[in-house]
Amino acid sequence: MTTITEARVIVTSPGRNYVTLKITTSDGVVGWGDATLNGRELAVAAYMTDHVCPLLVGRDPARIEDTWQLLYRGAYWRRGPVTMTAIAAVDMALWDIKGKVAGLPVYQLLGGAARNGVLVYCHASGSDVPALLDDVARHLDQGFLAVRAQASVPGLEGTYGVPAPDGLLYEPASAALPAEHLWDTGPYLRFAPEMLGAVRERFGFGFHLLHDVHHRLSPIEAGRLGHDLEPHRLFWLEDPTPAEDQSAFRVIRQHTTTPLAVGEVFNSIWDCQQLITERLIDYIRTSVTHAGGITHLRRIFSLADLYGVRTGSHGPGDLSPVAMAAALHVDMSVPNFGIQEYMGHRDPAGEVFRTTYTFADGYMHPGDAPGLGVDVDEDAAVHFPYDPRQLPVNRRLDGSVHDW
Ligand code: GCO
Ligand code: MG
């Protein structure tokens, strides 16, 4: 019988931190999984190295579901970002191996292509509205059919979604202590409809427009914002309120027809059960890395399909290209696909991660290489040592902590 002979964790920082799991079989087949939990990377690395990898050696790599159940139920302590990210990495690596053994891209093992390509949305942002409009123009020129728009709220430094002056990253701030951003809900609620209205006024309605609130409003504030945004016909309004309060969405729903998306911080189907079964959202944003891998993501998406909820997986640059590839294979195959976030990866990530996925005319495709279609250059990875980073925190004008 073929067995797993080695499971090893690679922590590397080519441009930003990524945690990667490498599983090798007795036949010499290698599978890759992403285990990156932004700002808490080493917790997942330790969980895998100390508690998961020793369980894998000697097991049959073909038994993906059984391994998932073993790691989930067998730990007794269930769910949570660290555990579910570790399980996800194992799951992705085993699907990668299964695809390589079969000589097929993973999406073929998931039922084959249910569409020709995966609609993706990009990020456009600016320190003010004119800068945002320039950035939207740039992305539309690149062929994107869906654009997320974010701009700095006047008077509030470090608004979420707007890059720092280096222009490259907007969440990892400092090595030691988190950066502190200022937050004031009133100005944001006045500014957001103006800003998104300016985008529609300049570019019209011939593309999908999205916006991320990043969990900052109360339910009634979110209801008002959704209502104020209705003339701008958003594809979705993302994370309007802190996501763990599922019944809050009942209040939002009573006040607006703007479509709602949530779920990038969810780890399991239980985190979104009420949101889906009560049809309180339109898009479920769980990611392949933070919600238990391909196996569990498909389970969530199947539940969502039953209730008319479509998919919109999280795809930020803080998930590695291994995750992006895995997400695309799922996106290709599920019936209720909606859209996929694609933030891209900045150099030198490409020196470590080699991918086969492509983008053209607004759509991505995972490629047809066997498995996930990703390779990791371990020799290159050692040149980019771990670089400790913290996500920022938000404080209100009175100094109290607000959701970031
Ligand atoms: C998004 C997200 C990200 C998160 C990041 C945190 O919609 O892409 O909100 O930008 O902030 O993934 O690590
Ligand atoms: Mg988001």
Side-chain angles (χ1 to χ4, degrees), residues 214-298:
H214 225 247
H215 312 285
R216 289 165 184 212
L217 301 177
S218 72
I220 201 68
E221 289 164 350
R224 190 197 312 157
L225 178 63
H227 174 264
D228 290 350
L229 293 176
E230 280 168 22
H232 310 317
R233 294 287 186 272
L234 293 198
F235 184 91
W236 77 37
L237 183 66
E238 177 180 336
D239 292 345
T241 52
E244 62 270 36
D245 183 0
Q246 298 190 42
S247 61
F249 282 74
R250 289 184 185 149
V251 177
I252 310 174
R253 272 290 202 232
Q254 284 162 13
H255 295 282
T256 181
T257 56
T258 292
L260 302 172
V262 73
E264 65 182 46
V265 298
F266 292 162
N267 313 123
S268 92
I269 199 164
W270 306 104
D271 296 329
C272 43
Q273 184 184 23
Q274 182 186 5
L275 289 170
I276 291 171
T277 58
E278 287 189 28
R279 303 175 196 265
L280 300 178
I281 54 171
D282 301 280
Y283 296 92
I284 180 67
R285 275 183 51 67
T286 38
S287 75
V288 68
T289 298
H290 298 150
I294 291 172
T295 297
H296 197 65
L297 194 64
R298 289 176 81 222

Coordinates of all heavy atoms in Angstrom, one line a residue, residues 214-298:
H214 N -15.6 45.4 6.2 CA -14.7 44.9 7.1 C -15.2 44.8 8.6 O -14.5 45.2 9.5 CB -13.3 45.6 7.1 CG -12.2 44.6 7.0 ND1 -11.3 44.6 8.1 CD2 -11.7 43.7 6.1 CE1 -10.3 43.6 7.8 NE2 -10.6 43.1 6.6
H215 N -16.5 44.4 8.7 CA -17.0 44.1 10.0 C -17.2 45.3 11.0 O -17.0 45.1 12.2 CB -16.2 43.0 10.8 CG -15.8 41.8 10.0 ND1 -16.7 40.8 9.7 CD2 -14.6 41.5 9.4 CE1 -16.0 39.9 9.0 NE2 -14.8 40.2 8.8
R216 N -17.4 46.5 10.4 CA -17.3 47.7 11.3 C -18.6 48.3 11.8 O -18.6 49.3 12.5 CB -16.5 48.7 10.6 CG -15.1 48.2 10.5 CD -14.2 49.0 9.6 NE -12.9 48.4 9.6 CZ -11.8 49.0 9.3 NH1 -11.8 50.3 9.1 NH2 -10.7 48.3 9.4
L217 N -19.8 47.8 11.3 CA -21.0 48.5 11.6 C -21.9 47.7 12.5 O -21.7 46.5 12.7 CB -21.8 48.8 10.3 CG -21.0 49.6 9.2 CD1 -21.9 49.8 7.9 CD2 -20.7 51.0 9.8
S218 N -22.8 48.5 13.1 CA -23.9 47.8 13.9 C -24.9 47.3 12.9 O -25.0 47.8 11.7 CB -24.5 48.7 14.9 OG -25.3 49.6 14.2
P219 N -25.8 46.4 13.2 CA -26.8 45.9 12.2 C -27.7 47.1 11.7 O -27.9 47.1 10.4 CB -27.7 44.9 13.1 CG -26.8 44.4 14.1 CD -25.9 45.6 14.5
I220 N -28.1 48.0 12.5 CA -29.0 49.0 11.9 C -28.2 50.0 11.1 O -28.7 50.5 10.0 CB -29.8 49.8 13.1 CG1 -31.0 50.4 12.5 CG2 -28.9 50.7 13.8 CD1 -32.0 49.5 12.0
E221 N -26.9 50.3 11.4 CA -26.1 51.1 10.6 C -25.8 50.4 9.2 O -25.9 51.1 8.2 CB -24.7 51.3 11.2 CG -24.7 52.2 12.4 CD -23.5 52.1 13.3 OE1 -22.6 51.2 13.1 OE2 -23.3 52.9 14.2
A222 N -25.6 49.1 9.3 CA -25.4 48.3 8.0 C -26.7 48.4 7.2 O -26.6 48.5 5.9 CB -25.0 46.9 8.3
G223 N -27.9 48.3 7.8 CA -29.1 48.4 7.1 C -29.2 49.7 6.4 O -29.6 49.8 5.2
R224 N -28.8 50.8 7.1 CA -28.9 52.1 6.4 C -27.9 52.3 5.3 O -28.3 52.8 4.2 CB -28.6 53.2 7.5 CG -28.9 54.6 6.9 CD -28.3 55.7 7.7 NE -28.5 55.5 9.2 CZ -27.8 56.1 10.1 NH1 -26.7 56.8 9.8 NH2 -28.0 55.8 11.4
L225 N -26.7 51.7 5.5 CA -25.7 51.8 4.4 C -26.2 51.0 3.2 O -26.1 51.5 2.0 CB -24.4 51.3 4.9 CG -23.3 51.3 3.8 CD1 -23.0 52.7 3.3 CD2 -22.0 50.6 4.3
G226 N -26.7 49.8 3.4 CA -27.2 49.0 2.3 C -28.3 49.8 1.5 O -28.3 49.8 0.3
H227 N -29.2 50.4 2.3 CA -30.3 51.2 1.7 C -29.7 52.3 0.8 O -30.1 52.6 -0.3 CB -31.2 51.7 2.7 CG -32.3 52.6 2.2 ND1 -32.2 54.0 2.3 CD2 -33.4 52.3 1.6 CE1 -33.2 54.5 1.7 NE2 -34.0 53.5 1.3
D228 N -28.7 53.1 1.4 CA -28.2 54.2 0.7 C -27.4 53.8 -0.5 O -27.2 54.6 -1.5 CB -27.2 55.0 1.6 CG -28.0 55.7 2.8 OD1 -29.2 55.8 2.7 OD2 -27.3 56.2 3.7
L229 N -26.9 52.6 -0.6 CA -26.1 52.1 -1.7 C -27.0 51.5 -2.8 O -26.5 51.2 -3.9 CB -25.1 51.1 -1.2 CG -24.0 51.6 -0.3 CD1 -23.1 50.4 0.1 CD2 -23.1 52.6 -1.1
E230 N -28.3 51.3 -2.6 CA -29.1 50.6 -3.6 C -29.0 51.2 -5.0 O -28.9 50.5 -5.9 CB -30.5 50.5 -3.1 CG -30.7 49.4 -2.1 CD -32.0 49.3 -1.3 OE1 -33.0 49.9 -1.8 OE2 -32.0 48.7 -0.2
P231 N -29.0 52.6 -5.1 CA -29.0 53.2 -6.5 C -27.7 52.8 -7.2 O -27.6 52.8 -8.4 CB -29.0 54.7 -6.2 CG -29.5 54.9 -4.8 CD -29.1 53.6 -4.1
H232 N -26.6 52.4 -6.5 CA -25.3 52.1 -7.1 C -25.2 50.6 -7.5 O -24.2 50.2 -8.1 CB -24.2 52.5 -6.2 CG -24.3 53.9 -5.7 ND1 -24.7 54.9 -6.6 CD2 -24.1 54.4 -4.5 CE1 -24.8 56.1 -5.9 NE2 -24.4 55.8 -4.6
R233 N -26.3 49.8 -7.2 CA -26.4 48.4 -7.6 C -25.1 47.6 -7.4 O -24.4 47.2 -8.3 CB -26.7 48.4 -9.1 CG -28.1 48.9 -9.5 CD -29.2 47.9 -9.1 NE -30.5 48.3 -9.5 CZ -31.3 49.1 -8.8 NH1 -31.0 49.6 -7.7 NH2 -32.5 49.4 -9.3
L234 N -24.7 47.5 -6.1 CA -23.5 46.7 -5.8 C -23.8 45.2 -6.1 O -24.9 44.7 -6.0 CB -23.2 46.8 -4.3 CG -22.7 48.1 -3.8 CD1 -22.0 47.9 -2.5 CD2 -21.8 48.9 -4.8
F235 N -22.7 44.6 -6.6 CA -22.7 43.1 -6.7 C -22.9 42.5 -5.3 O -23.6 41.6 -5.1 CB -21.4 42.6 -7.3 CG -21.3 41.1 -7.6 CD1 -21.7 40.6 -8.8 CD2 -20.8 40.3 -6.6 CE1 -21.7 39.3 -9.0 CE2 -20.8 38.9 -6.9 CZ -21.2 38.4 -8.1
W236 N -22.1 43.1 -4.3 CA -22.3 42.8 -2.9 C -21.7 43.8 -2.0 O -20.8 44.6 -2.4 CB -21.8 41.4 -2.5 CG -20.3 41.2 -2.3 CD1 -19.3 42.1 -1.8 CD2 -19.5 40.0 -2.6 NE1 -18.1 41.5 -1.7 CE2 -18.2 40.2 -2.2 CE3 -19.9 38.7 -3.1 CZ2 -17.2 39.2 -2.4 CZ3 -18.9 37.8 -3.3 CH2 -17.6 38.0 -2.9
L237 N -22.2 43.8 -0.8 CA -21.7 44.6 0.3 C -21.1 43.5 1.3 O -21.8 42.7 1.7 CB -22.8 45.4 1.0 CG -22.4 46.3 2.2 CD1 -21.5 47.4 1.7 CD2 -23.6 46.9 2.9
E238 N -19.8 43.7 1.5 CA -19.1 42.6 2.3 C -19.0 42.9 3.7 O -18.6 44.0 4.1 CB -17.8 42.4 1.6 CG -16.9 41.4 2.3 CD -15.6 41.2 1.6 OE1 -15.5 41.5 0.4 OE2 -14.6 40.8 2.2
D239 N -19.1 41.9 4.6 CA -18.8 41.9 6.0 C -19.4 43.2 6.6 O -18.6 44.0 7.3 CB -17.3 41.8 6.2 CG -16.8 40.4 5.9 OD1 -17.6 39.5 5.7 OD2 -15.6 40.3 5.7
P240 N -20.7 43.5 6.5 CA -21.2 44.7 7.1 C -21.1 44.8 8.6 O -20.8 45.9 9.2 CB -22.7 44.7 6.7 CG -23.0 43.3 6.3 CD -21.7 42.7 5.8
T241 N -21.2 43.6 9.3 CA -21.2 43.6 10.8 C -20.2 42.5 11.2 O -19.9 41.6 10.4 CB -22.6 43.3 11.3 OG1 -23.1 42.1 10.7 CG2 -23.6 44.5 11.1
P242 N -19.8 42.5 12.5 CA -19.0 41.4 13.0 C -19.6 40.1 12.7 O -20.8 39.8 13.0 CB -18.9 41.7 14.5 CG -19.1 43.2 14.6 CD -20.1 43.5 13.5
A243 N -18.9 39.2 12.0 CA -19.5 38.1 11.3 C -20.0 37.0 12.2 O -20.9 36.2 11.8 CB -18.5 37.5 10.3
E244 N -19.5 36.9 13.5 CA -19.9 35.8 14.3 C -21.4 36.0 14.8 O -22.0 35.0 15.3 CB -19.0 35.7 15.5 CG -18.9 36.9 16.5 CD -17.8 37.9 16.1 OE1 -17.6 38.1 14.8 OE2 -17.2 38.5 17.0
D245 N -22.0 37.2 14.7 CA -23.3 37.4 15.1 C -24.3 37.1 14.0 O -24.7 38.0 13.2 CB -23.5 38.8 15.7 CG -24.8 39.1 16.2 OD1 -25.7 38.2 16.2 OD2 -25.1 40.3 16.7
Q246 N -24.7 35.9 13.8 CA -25.4 35.5 12.6 C -26.8 36.2 12.6 O -27.3 36.6 11.5 CB -25.6 34.0 12.5 CG -24.2 33.3 12.4 CD -24.3 31.8 12.0 OE1 -25.1 31.4 11.2 NE2 -23.5 31.0 12.7
S247 N -27.5 36.3 13.7 CA -28.9 36.8 13.7 C -28.9 38.3 13.4 O -29.9 38.9 13.0 CB -29.6 36.5 15.0 OG -29.0 37.0 16.1
A248 N -27.7 39.0 13.5 CA -27.7 40.4 13.2 C -28.1 40.6 11.7 O -28.7 41.7 11.4 CB -26.2 40.9 13.4
F249 N -27.9 39.6 10.9 CA -28.2 39.8 9.5 C -29.7 39.9 9.2 O -30.1 40.4 8.2 CB -27.5 38.7 8.6 CG -26.1 39.0 8.4 CD1 -25.1 38.8 9.4 CD2 -25.6 39.5 7.2 CE1 -23.8 39.1 9.3 CE2 -24.3 39.7 7.0 CZ -23.4 39.6 8.0
R250 N -30.5 39.4 10.2 CA -31.9 39.5 10.0 C -32.3 41.0 10.0 O -33.2 41.4 9.2 CB -32.7 38.9 11.2 CG -32.6 37.4 11.2 CD -33.5 36.9 12.4 NE -33.4 35.5 12.6 CZ -33.5 34.9 13.8 NH1 -33.6 35.6 14.9 NH2 -33.4 33.6 13.9
V251 N -31.7 41.8 10.9 CA -31.9 43.2 10.9 C -31.5 43.9 9.6 O -32.3 44.7 9.0 CB -31.2 43.9 12.1 CG1 -31.4 45.4 12.1 CG2 -31.6 43.2 13.4
I252 N -30.3 43.6 9.1 CA -29.9 44.2 7.9 C -30.8 43.9 6.7 O -31.2 44.8 6.0 CB -28.4 43.7 7.5 CG1 -27.5 43.8 8.7 CG2 -27.9 44.5 6.3 CD1 -26.1 43.2 8.5
R253 N -31.2 42.6 6.6 CA -32.1 42.2 5.6 C -33.4 42.9 5.5 O -34.0 43.1 4.5 CB -32.4 40.7 5.8 CG -31.5 39.7 5.1 CD -31.6 39.8 3.6 NE -31.1 38.6 3.0 CZ -30.2 38.6 2.0 NH1 -29.7 39.7 1.5 NH2 -29.9 37.4 1.4
Q254 N -33.9 43.3 6.8 CA -35.2 44.0 6.8 C -35.1 45.4 6.2 O -36.2 46.0 5.9 CB -35.7 44.2 8.3 CG -36.2 42.9 8.9 CD -36.2 43.0 10.4 OE1 -36.1 44.1 11.0 NE2 -36.4 41.8 11.0
H255 N -33.9 45.9 6.0 CA -33.8 47.3 5.6 C -33.2 47.5 4.2 O -33.1 48.6 3.7 CB -32.9 48.1 6.6 CG -33.6 48.1 7.9 ND1 -34.6 49.0 8.2 CD2 -33.5 47.4 9.0 CE1 -35.1 48.8 9.4 NE2 -34.4 47.8 9.9
T256 N -32.7 46.5 3.6 CA -32.0 46.7 2.3 C -32.1 45.5 1.3 O -32.1 44.3 1.8 CB -30.6 47.1 2.4 OG1 -30.0 47.4 1.2 CG2 -29.8 46.0 3.2
T257 N -32.1 45.8 0.0 CA -32.0 44.7 -1.0 C -30.6 44.7 -1.6 O -30.4 43.9 -2.5 CB -33.0 45.0 -2.2 OG1 -32.7 46.3 -2.7 CG2 -34.4 44.9 -1.7
T258 N -29.7 45.5 -1.0 CA -28.3 45.3 -1.5 C -27.8 43.9 -1.1 O -27.9 43.5 0.1 CB -27.4 46.4 -0.8 OG1 -27.7 47.7 -1.3 CG2 -25.9 46.1 -1.1
P259 N -27.2 43.1 -2.0 CA -26.8 41.8 -1.7 C -25.7 41.8 -0.7 O -24.8 42.7 -0.7 CB -26.3 41.2 -3.1 CG -26.9 42.1 -4.1 CD -27.1 43.4 -3.5
L260 N -25.7 40.8 0.2 CA -24.7 40.7 1.3 C -23.8 39.5 1.2 O -24.2 38.4 0.8 CB -25.5 40.6 2.6 CG -26.5 41.7 2.9 CD1 -27.3 41.4 4.2 CD2 -25.8 43.1 3.1
A261 N -22.5 39.7 1.5 CA -21.6 38.6 1.5 C -20.8 38.6 2.8 O -20.5 39.7 3.4 CB -20.5 38.9 0.4
V262 N -20.5 37.4 3.3 CA -19.8 37.3 4.6 C -19.1 36.0 4.7 O -19.5 35.1 3.9 CB -20.8 37.6 5.8 CG1 -21.7 36.4 6.0 CG2 -20.1 37.9 7.1
G263 N -18.1 35.9 5.5 CA -17.6 34.5 5.8 C -16.1 34.3 5.7 O -15.6 33.2 5.9
E264 N -15.3 35.4 5.4 CA -13.9 35.2 5.3 C -13.3 34.7 6.6 O -12.2 34.1 6.6 CB -13.2 36.4 4.7 CG -13.2 37.6 5.6 CD -12.5 38.8 5.0 OE1 -12.8 39.1 3.8 OE2 -11.7 39.5 5.7
V265 N -13.9 35.1 7.7 CA -13.3 34.6 9.0 C -13.9 33.3 9.5 O -13.6 32.9 10.6 CB -13.4 35.7 10.1 CG1 -12.6 37.0 9.7 CG2 -14.8 36.1 10.4
F266 N -14.8 32.8 8.8 CA -15.5 31.5 9.3 C -14.5 30.3 9.1 O -13.8 30.3 8.1 CB -16.8 31.2 8.5 CG -17.9 32.2 8.8 CD1 -18.9 32.3 7.9 CD2 -17.8 33.1 9.9 CE1 -20.0 33.3 8.2 CE2 -18.9 34.0 10.2 CZ -19.9 34.1 9.3
N267 N -14.7 29.3 9.9 CA -13.9 28.1 9.8 C -14.7 26.9 9.5 O -14.1 25.9 9.2 CB -13.1 27.9 11.1 CG -12.4 29.2 11.6 OD1 -12.7 29.6 12.8 ND2 -11.6 29.8 10.8
S268 N -16.0 26.9 9.7 CA -16.7 25.7 9.5 C -18.1 26.0 9.1 O -18.6 27.1 9.2 CB -16.7 24.8 10.8 OG -17.8 25.1 11.6
I269 N -18.8 24.9 8.7 CA -20.2 25.0 8.3 C -21.1 25.5 9.4 O -22.1 26.2 9.1 CB -20.7 23.6 7.7 CG1 -21.9 23.8 6.8 CG2 -20.9 22.7 8.9 CD1 -22.1 22.5 6.0
W270 N -20.7 25.3 10.6 CA -21.5 25.7 11.8 C -21.5 27.2 11.9 O -22.4 27.8 12.5 CB -21.0 25.0 13.0 CG -21.0 23.5 12.9 CD1 -19.8 22.8 12.7 CD2 -22.0 22.6 12.8 NE1 -20.2 21.5 12.5 CE2 -21.5 21.3 12.6 CE3 -23.4 22.8 12.9 CZ2 -22.3 20.2 12.5 CZ3 -24.2 21.6 12.8 CH2 -23.7 20.4 12.6
D271 N -20.5 27.9 11.4 CA -20.4 29.3 11.5 C -21.4 30.0 10.6 O -21.7 31.2 10.8 CB -19.0 29.8 11.2 CG -17.9 29.3 12.1 OD1 -18.2 29.1 13.3 OD2 -16.8 29.1 11.7
C272 N -21.8 29.3 9.6 CA -22.7 30.0 8.6 C -24.0 29.2 8.4 O -24.8 29.6 7.5 CB -22.0 30.2 7.3 SG -21.1 28.8 6.7
Q273 N -24.3 28.3 9.3 CA -25.5 27.5 9.1 C -26.8 28.3 9.1 O -27.6 28.2 8.3 CB -25.6 26.4 10.3 CG -26.8 25.5 10.1 CD -26.8 24.5 11.3 OE1 -26.3 24.8 12.4 NE2 -27.5 23.4 11.1
Q274 N -26.9 29.2 10.1 CA -28.1 30.1 10.2 C -28.1 31.1 9.1 O -29.2 31.3 8.5 CB -28.1 30.8 11.6 CG -29.3 31.7 11.8 CD -29.2 32.5 13.1 OE1 -28.2 32.5 13.8 NE2 -30.3 33.2 13.4
L275 N -27.0 31.6 8.8 CA -27.0 32.6 7.7 C -27.5 32.0 6.4 O -28.2 32.7 5.6 CB -25.5 33.1 7.5 CG -24.9 34.0 8.6 CD1 -23.4 34.3 8.3 CD2 -25.7 35.4 8.6
I276 N -27.1 30.8 6.2 CA -27.5 30.1 4.9 C -28.9 29.6 5.0 O -29.8 29.9 4.1 CB -26.5 28.9 4.6 CG1 -25.1 29.5 4.2 CG2 -27.1 28.1 3.5 CD1 -24.0 28.5 4.1
T277 N -29.3 28.9 6.0 CA -30.6 28.3 6.1 C -31.7 29.3 6.2 O -32.8 29.1 5.8 CB -30.7 27.2 7.2 OG1 -30.4 27.8 8.4 CG2 -29.7 26.1 6.9
E278 N -31.4 30.4 6.8 CA -32.4 31.5 6.9 C -32.3 32.5 5.7 O -33.0 33.5 5.7 CB -32.3 32.3 8.2 CG -32.7 31.5 9.4 CD -32.8 32.4 10.7 OE1 -33.0 33.6 10.6 OE2 -32.6 31.8 11.7
R279 N -31.5 32.2 4.7 CA -31.3 33.0 3.6 C -31.0 34.4 3.9 O -31.5 35.4 3.4 CB -32.5 32.9 2.6 CG -32.9 31.5 2.2 CD -34.2 31.6 1.4 NE -34.7 30.2 1.3 CZ -34.5 29.4 0.3 NH1 -33.8 29.8 -0.7 NH2 -35.1 28.2 0.2
L280 N -30.1 34.6 4.9 CA -29.7 36.0 5.4 C -28.6 36.6 4.6 O -28.3 37.8 4.8 CB -29.4 35.9 6.9 CG -30.5 35.4 7.8 CD1 -30.0 35.3 9.3 CD2 -31.7 36.3 7.7
I281 N -27.9 35.8 3.8 CA -26.9 36.3 2.9 C -27.1 35.8 1.5 O -27.8 34.9 1.2 CB -25.5 35.9 3.4 CG1 -25.4 34.3 3.5 CG2 -25.1 36.5 4.7 CD1 -24.0 33.8 3.8
D282 N -26.3 36.5 0.6 CA -26.4 36.1 -0.8 C -25.2 35.4 -1.3 O -25.2 34.6 -2.3 CB -26.6 37.4 -1.7 CG -27.9 38.1 -1.2 OD1 -29.0 37.7 -1.6 OD2 -27.8 39.0 -0.4
Y283 N -24.0 35.6 -0.6 CA -22.8 35.0 -1.0 C -22.0 34.6 0.3 O -22.0 35.3 1.2 CB -21.9 36.0 -1.7 CG -22.5 36.5 -3.1 CD1 -23.3 37.6 -3.1 CD2 -22.3 35.7 -4.2 CE1 -23.9 38.0 -4.3 CE2 -22.8 36.1 -5.4 CZ -23.6 37.2 -5.5 OH -24.2 37.6 -6.7
I284 N -21.5 33.3 0.2 CA -20.7 32.8 1.3 C -19.2 32.9 1.0 O -18.8 32.4 -0.1 CB -21.2 31.4 1.8 CG1 -20.4 30.9 2.9 CG2 -21.2 30.4 0.6 CD1 -20.6 31.7 4.2
R285 N -18.4 33.5 1.8 CA -17.1 33.9 1.5 C -16.0 33.0 2.1 O -14.8 33.4 2.2 CB -16.8 35.3 1.8 CG -17.3 36.2 0.7 CD -17.0 37.7 1.0 NE -15.6 38.0 1.3 CZ -14.6 37.9 0.6 NH1 -14.7 37.5 -0.7 NH2 -13.4 38.3 1.0
T286 N -16.4 31.8 2.6 CA -15.4 31.0 3.3 C -14.3 30.6 2.3 O -14.5 30.5 1.1 CB -16.1 29.6 3.7 OG1 -17.1 29.3 2.7 CG2 -16.8 29.8 5.1
S287 N -13.1 30.5 2.9 CA -11.9 30.2 2.0 C -11.5 28.7 2.2 O -11.7 28.1 3.2 CB -10.8 31.1 2.4 OG -10.2 30.7 3.6
V288 N -10.8 28.3 1.2 CA -10.3 26.9 1.2 C -9.3 26.7 2.3 O -9.2 25.6 2.9 CB -9.7 26.5 -0.2 CG1 -8.5 27.3 -0.5 CG2 -9.5 25.0 -0.4
T289 N -8.5 27.7 2.7 CA -7.5 27.6 3.7 C -8.1 27.7 5.1 O -7.6 27.0 6.0 CB -6.4 28.7 3.5 OG1 -5.8 28.5 2.3 CG2 -5.3 28.6 4.6
H290 N -9.0 28.6 5.4 CA -9.5 28.8 6.7 C -10.7 28.0 7.1 O -11.2 28.0 8.2 CB -9.7 30.3 7.0 CG -8.4 31.1 6.8 ND1 -8.4 32.4 6.4 CD2 -7.1 30.7 7.0 CE1 -7.1 32.8 6.3 NE2 -6.3 31.8 6.7
A291 N -11.3 27.3 6.1 CA -12.5 26.5 6.4 C -12.3 25.1 6.0 O -13.2 24.5 5.4 CB -13.7 27.2 5.6
G292 N -11.2 24.5 6.4 CA -11.1 23.1 6.4 C -10.8 22.4 5.0 O -11.0 21.2 4.9
G293 N -10.3 23.2 4.1 CA -9.8 22.6 2.8 C -10.9 22.4 1.8 O -12.1 22.8 2.0
I294 N -10.6 21.7 0.7 CA -11.5 21.5 -0.4 C -12.7 20.6 0.1 O -13.8 20.9 -0.2 CB -10.7 20.7 -1.5 CG1 -9.7 21.7 -2.2 CG2 -11.7 20.2 -2.5 CD1 -8.8 21.0 -3.2
T295 N -12.4 19.7 0.9 CA -13.5 18.8 1.4 C -14.6 19.5 2.2 O -15.8 19.4 1.9 CB -12.8 17.7 2.3 OG1 -11.9 16.9 1.5 CG2 -13.9 16.8 3.0
H296 N -14.2 20.4 3.1 CA -15.2 21.1 3.9 C -15.8 22.3 3.2 O -17.0 22.6 3.3 CB -14.6 21.5 5.3 CG -15.6 21.9 6.3 ND1 -16.5 21.0 6.8 CD2 -15.9 23.1 6.8 CE1 -17.3 21.5 7.6 NE2 -17.0 22.8 7.7
L297 N -15.0 22.9 2.3 CA -15.5 24.0 1.6 C -16.7 23.6 0.7 O -17.7 24.2 0.5 CB -14.4 24.7 0.7 CG -14.7 26.0 0.1 CD1 -14.9 27.1 1.2 CD2 -13.6 26.5 -0.8
R298 N -16.5 22.4 0.1 CA -17.5 21.9 -0.8 C -18.8 21.5 0.0 O -19.9 21.7 -0.5 CB -17.0 20.6 -1.5 CG -16.0 20.9 -2.6 CD -15.5 19.7 -3.3 NE -16.4 19.2 -4.3 CZ -16.7 17.9 -4.4 NH1 -16.2 17.0 -3.6 NH2 -17.5 17.5 -5.4

